[in-house]
Each structure stands twice: as structure tokens, then as C-alpha cells.
Amino acid sequence: MSIDSDALIDWYGETARDLPWRRPEVTAWQILMSEIMLQQTPVVRVEPVWREWVARWPVPSAMAAASQGEVLRAWGKLGYPRRALRLHECARVLATEHGDVVPDDVDVLLGLPGIGAYTARAVACFAYGQRVPVVDTNVRRVVARAVHGRAEAGNPATRDLADTEALLPARVDRAARFSAALMELGATVCTARNPDCSRCPLPTCAWVTAGRPASDIVRRTQKYDGTDRQARGRLLDVLRAAPGPVERVALDLAWTRDPGQRARALDSLLLDGLIEQTRDGLFALAGEGGAS
Ligand code: SF4
């Protein structure tokens, strides 16, 4: 089964959310920033930070001139802060090696720090209107249901790209719009837990036709409370809020429930390059400890 691209694109034209990074005046660099932020963080939390970043760092060289610590502070509570450091590194490479412009070629994009298969194609498609398959979790889910009749997509596979590319309309401008629409459908209607099929623009869907067979995938509930990730977040909060390096005791007080876990979190932050230690044993955000 295929996907009715006309129906999907029409629906997108009528119902797409008015997200700021979709406006025509937005540059490829600003789209790249949004894509990095949106990978693991919901739209509602990304939007205010993205607006701030666009105003503060409108071009890659502006971000490249900032310190790692500034970027980590500005990242705030978006989570998975290694993304911020990678984007900072990417900005530096764009400023020094690409004339302060985000390339439009997927292979060149893939060579940039922190840019993976999804982001490279998302930029090529959404910023430059190219006909390339853009495959994220939402797209994989819609394709699994509408085309293959499965309740869920299962693990990512190399065939996902070819699978999605086969669905793209031949016309380049239609293909880019189709990709955006497919993602939108997965994000707003064909959601993981409660697909709202009554609002779906697709006239046929293999999963519905098959009688909505149940998923054979066992879901793992991701808890956050008490995890190493939460401990890392608390330690980073202390450093973000401090005007300069802090003593170890300030970090100890930020996570008192498990000293072993706290030590693990601290080690991993150091290892990831998100924080550093000063010569006199204090702790600081990356680039703010005077170690380099
Ligand atoms: S009919 Fe339902 S399951 Fe099928 S693509 Fe539409 S929303 Fe998803």
C-alpha cells in the first residue's frame, strides 16, 4: 500500500501548526538549530529557547564566538546538553570552513559535527527544498501503519530511508512538502499511543484495513525520577546558576540521595566535556574553568 500524497499535502496546507521555524524567512542555520533542539525535546519547550538563540546567534559565526559555557547556560533545561556542545562545534566549523553558511548537500552536512542521518536530510529538505527522505520516529510510525499494516515501527533499520524515499512524489517541491506533512501527521494525529484515525487525511491505511492488529513490541516506560540523567541535570543546574566555578560541596548538596550515583554523574559530565575542573579543584561549565 502507498500513501496518497495529494490528500496528505492538502491536509498539511489546511492544518499544519504555525511553528516559527517553518516561516519562509528562516535561514538554514536557524532551521538546523531547531532540528537539533527538537530531536529529544517537545515543541513547547523548544520554541522560547529557539527564539532566544535566533536573536542571539543569528549566524554560525555568532555562536562560534560564544564560549561553551555560554551555550550550555543558554541551553537551559532542554535536556541532553551534549547536543548544545556539538552544535557549538558545528557552528565553529561552519564559520571557518563553510563561509558561515549551512551546506545544502546531504553528504557534506553528514560530515559536520553532531549532524546525523536525520538532521542532514531534514536541513536539505526543509531549508533547501530537496527531494530526500526525512525519517524520524514519527515518520517511521506512520509508514509502518499506513503502508505496512503494523502497529509500530520497531527498531530503526537501514531500509527505512529507501522505504520512505519510495513514497516521495516525483516533483521536488511536492516531495519536500510531503516530507513535512508526513512528520506532522505522526506528531499530531498518528501518535504513538492514541492515533486519532477519525482526523486522518489518508483515505486508506493498511493497519486499519488489517483490523488494527496489536503491537508485539514490549514498551519500556522511561522513568526520569532518580535516574543518572536526573542527577546529571541537577549538577549542571548548579553550575549554570553559578557565576563561576563552585566547590565540590555545592554539587554534593544538589544530589544527596545517592553519593555513588552523584559521583557517577559527575564523572560522566567530566568525561562528556560538559564540565571541567579547575587547577584548584573547583568545578565549572565547559570552557569556564580556565583549564584550557
Ligand atoms: S488511519 Fe490512523 S493509524 Fe492509519 S495513518 Fe491515519 S492516523 Fe495513523
Side-chain angles (χ1 to χ4, degrees), residues 142 145-146 185 189-190 195-197 200-202 204-208 212:
V142 175
R145 287 175 180 161
L185 186 66
V189 175
C190 194
D196 187 353
C197 301
C200 185
L202 302 184
T204 56
C205 167
W207 184 62
V208 171
R212 301 170 195 254

Side-chain angles (χ1 to χ4, degrees), residues 237-266:
D237 284 347
V238 171
L239 295 172
R240 265 198 297 262
V246 305
E247 292 188 6
R248 170 74 185 243
V249 66
L251 300 177
D252 290 348
L253 290 171
W255 190 263
T256 53
R257 51 168 111 170
D258 180 345
Q261 188 179 39
R262 182 176 64 233
R264 205 161 57 234
L266 193 57

Side-chain angles (χ1 to χ4, degrees), residues 11-109:
W11 167 82
Y12 182 70
E14 287 157 15
T15 63
R17 293 167 294 172
D18 180 22
L19 302 176
W21 41 84
R22 287 179 175 167
R23 303 214 174 120
E25 69 275 15
V26 174
T27 66
W29 163 243
Q30 294 160 359
I31 288 174
L32 171 59
M33 289 201 288
S34 74
E35 289 297 340
I36 298 286
M37 290 177 174
L38 288 164
Q39 272 166 29
Q40 283 152 311
T41 312
V43 165
V44 64
R45 285 172 54 206
V46 164
E47 191 169 335
V49 180
W50 180 82
R51 286 184 188 282
E52 199 188 307
W53 282 41
V54 165
R56 188 168 178 180
W57 297 310
V59 291
S61 54
M63 180 182 283
S67 70
Q68 289 178 314
E70 276 177 76
V71 174
L72 283 172
R73 277 205 177 79
W75 188 256
K77 304 283 282 176
L78 291 185
Y80 298 101
R82 268 176 293 183
R83 289 181 290 169
L85 284 192
R86 298 292 280 161
L87 187 56
H88 184 242
E89 175 63 7
C90 182
R92 195 188 58 72
V93 173
L94 290 172
T96 55
E97 297 174 24
H98 295 275
D100 222 11
V101 173
V102 176
D104 61 3
D105 183 274
V106 169
D107 289 331
V108 178
L109 283 160

